[in-house]
Amino acid sequence: MGTGLGWTDEERVALSRAYHSTSMDAVKWANQSGTLFWAAVVAEWKRLLVGRPGARRRTERGVGGVQK
């Protein structure tokens, strides 16, 4: 099994921000499934990385890759 792209500091910061902003909406996410929550985190993470060098290749990560 090969390894994927390593995470850059910029990606880690964007993921932290995406997770934080998504999880802070307690009303919206109180009764949602984990799958929907993580899909929203990934969508926000991708939005934060738009226009960054190498973002297209790196944002091909799916929910499973981001969730780990």
Side-chain angles (χ1 to χ4, degrees), residues 15-50:
L15 180 57
S16 295
R17 288 181 177 162
Y19 182 89
H20 183 261
S21 67
T22 303
S23 65
M24 291 304 291
D25 190 346
V27 173
K28 182 175 182 180
W29 295 109
N31 294 315
Q32 299 295 319
S33 70
T35 303
L36 289 175
F37 172 78
W38 279 103
V41 171
V42 170
E44 178 65 9
W45 174 70
K46 289 180 178 186
R47 187 192 68 74
L48 291 170
L49 290 176
V50 167

Side-chain angles (χ1 to χ4, degrees), residues 8 10-11 49-58:
T8 65
E10 183 177 33
E11 287 179 295
L49 290 176
V50 167
R52 305 286 188 192
R56 181 173 180 211
R57 183 168 180 212
R58 293 186 176 280

